[in-house]
Amino acid sequence: MTITPDTLMTLEAYAKIRKSSAPEFIAHRKLRTVRLGEHVSVQFEDETTIRRQIQEMLHIEKIFEEDGIRGEIEAYLPLVPDGSNWKATMLIEYTDVHERKRELARLIGVAERMFVEVEGHGRVYAIADEDLGRETAEKTSAVHFLRFEFDDAARAAVRAGAQVKLGCDHTNYPAMTVIAPETLANLAGDLGG
């Protein structure tokens, strides 16, 4: 299934289910989020998360004209995995504003140092921020968009139940974690057969 204007709810229909559907959506988002160390979370996107994001943007901005709807779809559709990859939103989170400023300066290049390691296969490094640059010479952004592109063998291994780690080998943020089995089972569905 793909997201088109015809498959989205009207503003009225979405407004009616927005609150009642939030707990289910939050649970889905939580299932697809992996914490990496104390200050990074990676939210793996799928059609459900992106469809909700588009509906939220249409709702918040009261967009109901076809051109506006198509614009939102075109902005977010590239974040839906296409069968050979995982796509994710990476959030760098520091609550203290001064610490955040200092750390974002120390973490220039961090998005390109994010990787997924499928058991028995080499590391797959993120292709980061394909939409636009999110760094300056002074600092990186607190939000990055990542794509992890897998070869056929790695995809088959994930679908067969291989252990998968998410990590970062940036000098100033070395971290690695095993993706929880229930999260991995959900993410495996993003990798086509």
Side-chain angles (χ1 to χ4, degrees):
M1 187 168 177
T2 189
I3 302 170
T4 64
D6 298 346
T7 67
L8 293 170
M9 293 182 202
T10 65
L11 291 180
E12 296 82 11
Y14 182 68
K16 287 178 184 172
I17 63 101
R18 185 172 181 248
K19 284 194 172 105
S20 64
S21 67
E24 182 181 335
F25 175 75
I26 290 166
H28 180 77
R29 168 65 82 193
K30 185 176 178 185
L31 176 65
R32 295 180 62 87
T33 299
V34 178
R35 294 282 312 165
L36 184 62
E38 287 185 50
H39 301 287
V40 171
S41 66
V42 177
Q43 300 176 344
F44 289 92
E45 306 294 357
D46 67 355
E47 186 175 325
T48 300
T49 63
I50 297 304
R51 181 179 295 280
R52 180 75 179 213
Q53 180 64 37
I54 292 168
Q55 292 281 180
E56 276 295 303
M57 294 305 294
L58 298 177
H59 174 81
I60 291 164
E61 297 182 15
K62 305 290 184 242
I63 298 170
F64 59 88
E65 287 117 5
E66 193 168 331
D67 286 350
I69 294 169
R70 288 194 186 284
E72 292 300 320
I73 292 171
E74 287 169 16
Y76 288 102
L77 201 55
L79 295 173
V80 177
D82 59 21
S84 66
N85 51 44
W86 287 340
K87 296 182 181 179
T89 303
M90 172 187 174
L91 305 172
I92 303 173
E93 304 161 316
Y94 290 90
T95 52
D96 179 80
V97 66
H98 301 294
E99 182 183 20
R100 180 171 52 246
K101 184 176 180 182
R102 183 185 71 236
E103 293 305 314
L104 291 179
R106 293 180 67 233
L107 292 174
I108 293 172
V110 69
E112 290 81 12
R113 303 311 307 165
M114 295 292 294
F115 64 85
V116 171
E117 188 174 291
V118 178
E119 183 180 6
H121 299 267
R123 289 181 175 174
V124 175
Y125 281 90
I127 300 162
D129 302 321
E130 294 176 282
D131 59 336
L132 59 117
R134 295 185 181 276
E135 287 186 338
T136 66
E138 292 79 41
K139 69 176 186 74
T140 191
S141 173
V143 179
H144 294 275
F145 298 103
L146 311 177
R147 175 168 57 96
F148 298 98
E149 198 66 43
F150 298 98
D151 64 22
D152 292 345
R155 286 198 314 269
V158 171
R159 289 193 315 269
Q163 184 184 72
V164 180
K165 296 175 183 174
L166 174 70
C168 178
D169 61 12
H170 188 282
T171 306
N172 296 321
Y173 201 87
M176 190 158 42
T177 189
V178 174
I179 297 176
E182 59 276 9
T183 297
L184 188 56
N186 192 278
L187 296 178
D190 296 346
L191 301 176

